[in-house]
Amino acid sequence: MILLLLTFAFVHRQVAITEARLDVGVCYGMIGDNLPSPAAVVQLYQRYNIGKMRLFDPNAAALTALRGSGIEVTLGTLNQDLPSIASSVDAAKTWFDTYVQPFMSDVKITYLSAGNEVVPGDLAQYVLPAMRNLQSVVNGYGYGGLQITTVVATSVLGTSYPPSSSTFSDAARADMVGIIKFLSSSGSPLMINVYPYFAYASDPVNVRLDYAQFTATGSVVQDGSLSYPNLLEAVVDAFYWAMEKEGVTDVDLVVSESGWPSAGNGDFTTPVLAQTYNQNLVKRFRTNAGTPKHPDRSLGGFIFAMFNENQKPAGIEQNFGLFNPAGTPVYNVF
């Protein structure tokens, strides 16, 4: 049914197809020794009308394959490159000129992320100066459509339940305050990795499956006047509350990763559960709806991940993929 609905939406609303592609994407991870070529991967995105791709590093083969595709790309720096990028604008320009600039004319790079999940941690101090330096480089080139951001996990939150009580953790707060104030000044969103699966699998007694999977028929969590039928929206609003408590109210959020493994942890990870979650996630993104706290702000994002990657740690980490390495669906989502 979801396939029919999505197909109808793309055929019937051709004028709005660009807008629709702004709100759903898939992360393209490459930690496997049996994955398709980047050219074949781009063709797979196009075949299934996946309009956005997240790349975790500036892989030249993938960026070459994306030339002229029209697929919107969120591109990450390697975490280990952050100290160099943060050291000076000249160093950031050297990095940009080497890895990004050669593709700017015919690859639609919309976001450039300074690192992935490095706050809190040893590299956290480099995120803000790296963002500032990359912003200076982008401004120098006049690339108004390329926004600088970073990706954080829910580990930056100290308290997250209920959402209105959310704050940044003591370990993350200093870095996060600088980051969100930079994003406020530049008009760029913060990217967040949100996994209801982990909350459910770690505490199935208190975290309801229907709340984690978007299948609850009514409110599950009531937070003051705000009603939450699903966990993803509660986590997103926890970030909005945490930012608001630091005086930042104008930074939007993008879900840079979310997904559900289809194997690796017994009855918590079946193809049916993974399919249910990811189908509903796609449906949620394509509504262009906001959250209970910010119904006026459209929430978009990315499914993690495109493929089952066999060189990741054994267990669930190898089983987040929508597709097998041969290009066949693990289960149907699109």
Side-chain angles (χ1 to χ4, degrees), residues 5 12 32 39 43 52 56 63 69-70 73 75 104 109 122 137 151 174 220 225 229 231 247 252-253 257 298 309:
L5 289 173
H12 190 66
Q43 291 174 356
K52 294 198 305 180
F56 294 92
L63 289 167
S69 67
V73 179
L75 182 63
M104 286 300 296
I109 303 172
D122 294 340
V137 173
V151 174
V220 176
S225 63
L231 180 53
D252 290 339
L253 296 169
E257 291 178 27
S298 175
E309 299 169 64

Side-chain angles (χ1 to χ4, degrees), residues 41-232:
V41 173
V42 169
Q43 291 174 356
L44 198 61
Y45 272 71
Q46 293 172 321
R47 185 181 313 151
Y48 285 90
N49 291 315
I50 303 168
K52 294 198 305 180
M53 176 188 292
R54 181 178 170 211
L55 287 173
F56 294 92
D57 64 86
N59 182 281
L63 289 167
T64 298
L66 283 160
R67 290 188 189 274
S69 67
I71 294 171
E72 295 186 17
V73 179
T74 292
L75 182 63
T77 71
L78 290 170
N79 290 346
Q80 58 261 38
D81 287 343
L82 287 173
S84 174
I85 296 170
S87 65
S88 69
V89 174
D90 285 344
K93 187 175 186 301
T94 297
W95 181 91
F96 188 92
D97 288 349
T98 301
Y99 296 109
V100 184
Q101 175 63 15
F103 302 98
M104 286 300 296
S105 63
D106 52 2
V107 178
K108 194 173 183 181
I109 303 172
T110 52
Y111 295 110
L112 185 55
S113 167
N116 179 52
E117 294 189 349
V118 296
V119 182
D122 294 340
L123 293 174
Q125 62 183 307
Y126 300 109
V127 174
L128 180 57
M131 293 171 72
R132 286 175 173 157
N133 290 342
L134 288 170
Q135 188 70 60
S136 294
V137 173
V138 168
N139 289 348
Y141 277 115
Y143 293 141
L146 176 54
Q147 294 184 294
I148 307 301
T149 183
T150 192
V151 174
V152 298
T154 52
S155 56
V156 302
L157 299 176
T159 302
S160 61
Y161 180 86
S164 62
S165 296
S166 181
T167 58
F168 291 119
S169 70
D170 291 341
R173 181 174 178 267
D175 292 304
M176 288 304 301
V177 169
I179 287 167
I180 62 177
K181 288 185 176 180
F182 168 84
L183 294 173
S184 176
S185 67
S186 66
S188 298
L190 176 67
M191 292 194 156
I192 58 175
N193 293 341
V194 183
Y195 285 95
Y197 161 76
F198 288 110
Y200 169 67
S202 64
D203 191 8
V205 173
N206 293 306
V207 179
R208 285 168 40 176
L209 180 62
D210 60 351
Y211 183 55
Q213 291 223 310
F214 305 95
T215 54
T217 56
S219 175
V220 176
V221 169
Q222 191 70 31
D223 185 10
S225 63
L226 303 179
S227 299
Y228 291 93
N230 66 76
L231 180 53
L232 182 129

